[in-house]
Amino acid sequence: LNDVISIKDFQKKDIEFILNEAENLEKIAKSQEFSDELAGKILGMMFFEPSTRTRLSFETSMKRLGGNCVGFAGSSASSVSKGESLADTSKMFEAYSDALIIRHSLEGAAKFISDIVDVPVINAGDGAGQHPTQTLLDLYTIKRQFDKIKGLNVALVGDLKYGRTVHSLAYALGMFDAQMSFVSPDELKMPKETLHDLKKNNVKFHETNSLKDVIDEIDVLYVTRIQKERFPDEEEYSKIKGAYLIDHDLVKGKDLIVMHPLPRVDEISTDIDNTKYNKYFEQAFYGVPVRMAILKNIIKNKF
Ligand code: CP
């Protein structure tokens, strides 16, 4: 792989390679240690949309590997605010850095710049499209918990229409023969194109709008935020917000873990935070070893 644009570009063996690499790097990620694997390398970070975890974990990962970062968070801090195009901005990053990360509100933005620059491009979220590095850390979290992915029963819950993390994750879980339930209001179902691709690959899934239908059967409850910023009409958002509330009463006595790419708004009650069900903060931490594995290999052109 030259770039990390979509999880669809990965074969199962590529994903397994990154998960194994991440396991080797987890010790450095957890320690005060640094390696010199990427000494002298610069990562360019173009965050046109807000981010806490993705941006900070990429930056931490690069620094743990001995490299450095340049970039901006919010286009108002760059010359984009003066009217500079995405293409010209990308060329400047290409001139200054060894790899680029981009988060943008437009689906296809990462693919667009990967076609015009020669350095590796990593998609850190393109609108409602994909978030492939999130998927790799999601899979890592599941594997750390269960020591396998195959055969697990995973419910993806919430905004399956606009949520880019579930668009990537559904493909990857399909590759690993997990069984999936897609739990959403009718208005926020998984896109038809994704369903079509999954069916074509004989992936097992079913759709429902009732969490109670699946709660007793699942190993992983993967919750997502309703993506307010992607609704064309705020009134539509107001009708749907709060569609699912995951609280301790719902999961008590069940044999499952709760994951969430974060940020959460109100879909997971804080009464789960101090229980065994909470894996969402650990999941966010795993962004570091997994992104270390991605950076190390993409910059050194090894996968
Ligand atoms: N999961 C995730 O992408 O979080 P941020 O938006 O904070 O980067």
Side-chain angles (χ1 to χ4, degrees):
L1 292 177
N2 293 322
D3 306 291
V4 178
I5 304 296
S6 164
I7 205 72
K8 291 199 236 178
D9 302 332
F10 283 72
Q11 293 180 20
K12 190 177 171 190
K13 68 174 173 51
D14 301 322
I15 296 179
E16 286 171 335
F17 175 74
I18 289 295
L19 301 187
N20 286 338
E21 282 275 274
E23 209 172 324
N24 296 332
L25 291 162
E26 195 183 310
K27 186 169 165 283
I28 299 178
K30 277 190 166 142
S31 70
Q32 306 297 313
E33 293 172 32
F34 294 88
S35 92
D36 59 1
E37 295 258 17
L38 294 182
K41 302 289 184 190
I42 303 278
L43 178 65
M45 303 175 73
M46 307 164 71
F47 278 82
F48 290 91
E49 281 196 325
S51 169
T52 297
R53 279 144 291 271
T54 310
R55 188 170 70 82
L56 297 183
S57 63
F58 263 119
E59 196 167 331
T60 303
S61 301
M62 194 63 189
K63 290 180 175 173
R64 287 259 176 246
L65 290 167
N68 229 315
C69 306
V70 295
F72 58 79
S75 54
S76 61
S78 79
S79 286
V80 172
S81 63
K82 299 183 223 165
E84 188 166 37
S85 69
L86 179 57
D88 282 1
T89 306
S90 307
K91 284 182 196 299
M92 295 306 99
F93 273 82
E94 179 188 29
Y96 302 142
S97 47
D98 298 284
L100 296 186
I101 300 179
I102 176 167
R103 170 169 287 190
H104 202 283
S105 58
L106 285 179
E107 267 179 59
K111 170 75 180 122
F112 170 75
I113 71 166
S114 73
D115 288 341
I116 56 176
V117 299
D118 283 334
V119 294
V121 175
I122 300 173
N123 181 3
D126 60 331
Q130 288 251 333
H131 195 348
T133 66
Q134 177 71 41
T135 290
L136 295 169
L137 76 90
D138 293 342
L139 295 178
Y140 187 75
T141 308
I142 294 172
K143 190 150 175 277
R144 284 289 265 98
Q145 178 69 24
F146 297 98
D147 207 25
K148 65 172 186 179
I149 301 170
K150 186 182 167 96
L152 292 176
N153 207 326
V154 182
L156 307 183
V157 180
D159 186 347
L160 308 186
K161 178 177 179 181
Y162 296 118
R164 57 195 171 204
T165 66
V166 286
H167 296 164
S168 306
L169 185 57
Y171 281 108
L173 287 171
M175 272 187 239
F176 282 83
D177 297 321
Q179 297 180 45
M180 286 177 279
S181 304
F182 298 149
V183 185
S184 71
D186 287 341
E187 298 85 344
L188 296 178
K189 286 169 102 164
M190 194 64 95
K192 282 195 168 50
E193 185 205 338
T194 308
L195 297 179
H196 176 263
D197 285 350
L198 295 175
K199 277 184 194 154
K200 206 170 69 187
N201 293 327
N202 296 318
V203 174
K204 290 188 200 126
F205 68 86
H206 84 280
E207 296 181 277
T208 175
N209 43 35
S210 167
L211 195 47
K212 290 208 166 71
D213 279 357
V214 300
I215 194 78
D216 289 321
E217 294 155 23
I218 55 179
D219 303 296
V220 179
L221 183 57
Y222 189 99
V223 188
T224 63
R225 177 178 65 90
I226 310 271
Q227 309 273 305
K228 181 181 180 186
E229 66 277 25
R230 310 223 186 274
F231 277 68
D233 178 352
E234 198 164 330
E235 216 172 287
E236 287 305 306
Y237 167 75
S238 302
K239 281 189 216 153
I240 293 173
K241 72 174 182 182
Y244 301 101
L245 171 66
I246 315 301
D247 62 9
H248 191 238
D249 276 348
L250 181 79
V251 297
K252 197 168 55 186
K254 312 280 192 247
D255 194 12
L256 56 81
I257 61 169
V258 179
M259 294 174 61
H260 191 307
L262 303 176
R264 70 176 154 185
V265 181
D266 52 9
E267 58 279 0
I268 298 181
S269 165
T270 53
D271 71 4
I272 297 190
D273 290 0
N274 294 320
T275 71
K276 65 177 182 176
Y277 301 102
N278 168 9
K279 292 291 164 198
Y280 32 93
F281 293 137
E282 200 174 320
Q283 178 186 357
F285 165 72
Y286 289 140
V288 178
V290 170
R291 289 181 170 124
M292 285 171 78
I294 294 165
L295 287 172
K296 181 180 145 185
N297 288 289
I298 202 93
I299 291 176
K300 291 189 161 181
N301 213 359
K302 279 202 179 153
F303 84 117

